[in-house]
Amino acid sequence: MSTPVTESAPIPARPLPTSYRSTKVRRQRVRAAWLFLAPMLVTLTMVAGWPLLRTFYFSFTDASLSDMSNTLFIGLENYLVYDDGRWFGVLADPIWWRAVWNTVYFSVVSVSLEVVFGVIVALVLNAEFKGRTLVRAAVLIPWAIPTIVSAQMWAWMLNDQFGVINYLLMALGIIASPIAWTADASYSMWAVIMVDVWKTTPFVALLVLAALQMLPKDCYEAAEVDGIHPVKVFFRVTLPLITPALMVAVIFRLLDALRVFDVIYVLTSNSTSTMSMSIYARQQLVEFQDVGYGSAASTLLFLIIALATIAYLYLGRKQLQLGGD
Amino acid sequence: MTSRRLSKLAARAGFWLLVALIVVIAVFPFYYAIKTSFTPSGDLFRVELWPTRATLANYVQIFSQRSFLQAIFNSILVATSVVFIALLLGITASYALGRVRFRGRTTVLLVILGVSMFPQVAVLSGLFEVIRALNLYNNPGGLILSYTIFTLPFTVWVLTTFMRQLPMELEEAAIMDGATPWVTITKVFLPLMWPAMATTGLLAFIAAWNEFLFALTFTLTDSQRTVPVAIALLSGGSAYELPWAPIMAASVVVTVPLVVLVIIFQRRIVSGLTAGAVKG
């Protein structure tokens, strides 16, 4: 699921006015604040901070799943090593690079499609018409369905022999013979993207809809009086105004897409033509029991996502500044 | 005049066509899953959009499997425990982050945001070690612990946004009466926070109910699995003939409660999802 933590800047606290901030009350409150934070911080350290550090550490060792305590420090060998005239390690594995390319391709294509469709759906839901509440409820359904279930549902609909999609496409004369959507390497990535777009467009649509509903009404009235074409109004007025909300939706969708695992795992399992970085890392870690090598892949995934986030925030800020000039 | 009226009519027709298209695309896959779940397995080779013969056999089959019932029980246990822990830790943390100004506050908020962003796979091996050390491997306890990694940051963040919006007069009055911060939280804020807690609790429940990667990795036997893993592995039996009708029946069973909840609470969920997004 998308993590809907969505705020561009940290929330400012709402302190009491100065008159109440006598030192005693204040000191008591600060002490209480840390006391109240402690359980959360301890939990997050245990499930996030410490395991992350251990993953980094394992990536420099030969740890295996059956024996994670007796490990040997092997430096960068899991990443890249030259041995006997050949390169070894994650960085020398063509399947890893395939997984990187698949993940990036999947993320860029599906997030772009979700933004386009999300904006269209949000514009429709923002219009006033009879039955709007019902349509909004219908749009929420894909979002409410667990990813695994939606992957299974689509796997069945995309079934090459008995699937309803092939049946409809053949009935409409679009295709002549059934397509093996999830097995055929030239279609499987598109099948995965389609399922992801279907499932997560509602999330983007809801964020955009919330932004649309806060837009000032008067500039639209002015545009209507001046007889400006609605399409022009959309690109000149609406789109710039909802860009901040879109940026938030895009970054959260992008971070989610870069770590994609479950849709691909269920639809096409470990096939190389759709393998994502998460699938690659987990396969090494759990199925091949190679914790060291798998951790190296995980660490690289972490670094790629961290870099993507930093680049996005940097570029986004630049663009916003340019837009503001 | 007529051409103008005609183009207006065309625009209206186009709009309704778009609405119809959106509704069909959103609803059809779920409808088709429901339809399949009532179809006798022998009829599946014939593609049909409406059921000609309906049967409950698929539901009878999945509910007679002990492992499926056990999986539903595990999912409920894990998801409710995760919600309870996330709300308990989240409400106290959000008081500290939303109402008190102290040094290190921004750092804590950024750390929380960072944790909510990083990929689950990145902690997989480290978390595996922690869970094994605590003897929680192949145990719902291990899942409850590991799920706090994505429910807790989100709960804290949204509750902090809500906590901040409460009027400060309430807290001033409590302090004037000599209430400690703990009393202020439980007696003053908690009653006002129920709507926000219901929203975040529901979203955390859905996230925990749907989680797959940890559930797949940290459990081993059928009796400890959660629903998503059970459904994903139902197909693992044979690669050639998958039991699609029972899979769809199981899918419908675990999805209908969620869809109903989401539709009932759609306003709340939208406000929870967008909390801060547009204001920020």
Side-chain angles (χ1 to χ4, degrees), chain A residues 5 9-10 16 18 21 25 80 83-84 128 138-139 153 190 301 323:
Chain A
V5 174
L16 290 167
T18 347
R21 271 194 262 147
V25 170
L80 196 62
D83 188 35
D84 220 14
E128 267 168 47
V139 166
M153 273 167 34
W190 283 100
L301 169 61

Side-chain angles (χ1 to χ4, degrees), chain B residues 86-102:
Chain B
L87 285 180
L88 186 73
L89 300 183
I91 197 93
T92 49
S94 70
Y95 169 80
L97 293 168
R99 310 294 306 190
V100 187
R101 182 178 287 174
F102 59 93

Side-chain angles (χ1 to χ4, degrees), chain A residues 96 258-259 277-278 296-306, chain B residues 119 121:
Chain A
W96 161 255
L258 284 171
R259 57 190 174 193
M277 291 188 275
S278 287
S298 305
T299 306
L300 288 173
L301 169 61
F302 178 81
L303 289 177
I304 288 173
I305 290 192
Chain B
V121 164

Side-chain angles (χ1 to χ4, degrees), chain A residues 4-6 11-14 16 29 36 40 47 54-55 65 68 136 146 152 156 162 198 259 282 295, chain B residues 25 36 47 98-99 105 117-118 122 125 129 132 145 154 157 164 171 175 185 210 217 231 266 273 276-277:
Chain A
V5 174
T6 44
I11 318 149
R14 194 167 184 177
L16 290 167
R29 280 165 63 84
F36 286 160
M40 181 205 66
V47 298
R54 289 299 284 176
T55 300
L65 203 59
M68 286 168 89
R136 193 176 63 180
Q152 287 284 32
W156 165 230
F162 314 123
W198 178 78
R259 57 190 174 193
R282 186 190 176 273
S295 297
Chain B
I25 292 176
T36 306
V47 180
R99 310 294 306 190
R105 196 181 143 273
M117 281 178 177
F118 70 64
S125 47
E129 190 192 34
R132 261 216 298 233
L145 178 70
F154 151 72
W157 197 273
R164 228 183 66 71
E171 203 180 351
I175 289 176
I185 292 184
N210 296 352
T217 308
I231 288 181
Q266 53 170 306
L273 282 177

Side-chain angles (χ1 to χ4, degrees), chain A residues 44-323:
Chain A
L44 283 187
T45 310
M46 195 158 74
V47 298
W50 173 250
L52 188 66
L53 291 178
R54 289 299 284 176
T55 300
F56 292 162
Y57 168 77
F58 282 136
S59 74
F60 299 111
T61 69
D62 65 347
S64 77
L65 203 59
S66 49
D67 190 3
M68 286 168 89
S69 46
N70 279 322
T71 55
L72 211 65
F73 189 82
I74 56 167
L76 289 169
E77 273 184 36
N78 287 321
Y79 292 94
L80 196 62
V81 66
Y82 192 75
D83 188 35
D84 220 14
R86 277 186 63 197
W87 291 98
F88 293 96
V90 180
L91 291 171
D93 184 357
I95 299 175
W96 161 255
W97 289 110
R98 181 73 208 253
V100 173
W101 166 245
N102 282 342
T103 313
V104 171
Y105 184 80
F106 166 84
S107 306
V108 171
V109 174
S110 56
V111 173
S112 313
L113 290 175
E114 281 153 28
V115 166
V116 174
F117 293 142
V119 170
I120 293 174
V121 171
L123 285 172
V124 167
L125 289 177
N126 196 39
E128 267 168 47
F129 61 91
K130 239 182 218 154
R132 182 166 72 158
T133 334
L134 277 177
V135 175
R136 193 176 63 180
V139 166
L140 268 172
I141 287 181
W143 182 81
I145 294 177
T147 313
I148 293 304
V149 170
S150 72
Q152 287 284 32
M153 273 167 34
W154 280 91
W156 165 230
M157 295 204 306
L158 292 168
N159 188 287
D160 50 347
Q161 285 177 295
F162 314 123
V164 69
I165 304 271
N166 276 338
Y167 172 81
L168 288 175
L169 290 178
M170 278 166 70
L172 293 171
I174 297 173
I175 56 170
S177 55
I179 293 176
W181 293 100
T182 53
D184 189 332
S186 47
Y187 295 105
S188 51
M189 183 50 97
W190 283 100
V192 168
I193 289 174
M194 187 165 75
V195 177
D196 190 68
V197 168
W198 178 78
K199 158 107 177 102
T200 37
T201 297
F203 172 75
V204 179
L206 286 180
L207 286 187
V208 175
L209 180 63
L212 283 176
Q213 286 174 342
M214 289 175 68
L215 294 184
K217 293 264 185 293
D218 41 358
C219 50
Y220 288 95
E221 282 157 15
E224 211 180 331
V225 169
D226 292 345
I228 298 170
H229 196 270
V231 174
K232 203 172 172 188
V233 175
F234 172 75
F235 282 105
R236 292 285 169 80
V237 181
T238 313
L239 201 56
L241 284 173
I242 60 169
T243 300
L246 268 182
M247 301 260 296
V248 173
V250 166
I251 181 119
F252 281 100
R253 279 302 308 133
L254 214 53
L255 291 175
D256 230 29
L258 284 171
R259 57 190 174 193
V260 59
F261 177 78
D262 32 14
V263 192
I264 296 179
Y265 186 86
V266 171
L267 272 179
T268 57
S269 62
N270 287 336
S271 138
T272 19
S273 56
T274 50
M275 179 180 278
S276 71
M277 291 188 275
S278 287
I279 300 230
Y280 179 92
R282 186 190 176 273
Q283 191 186 33
Q284 298 292 342
L285 249 158
V286 181
E287 274 149 53
F288 303 159
Q289 309 262 315
D290 195 340
V291 172
Y293 194 88
S295 297
S298 305
T299 306
L300 288 173
L301 169 61
F302 178 81
L303 289 177
I304 288 173
I305 290 192
L307 280 177
T309 314
I310 292 167
Y312 184 89
L313 291 176
Y314 180 74
L315 289 174
R317 185 168 295 174
K318 257 213 157 141
Q319 202 175 22
L320 279 183
Q321 277 168 355
L322 282 177

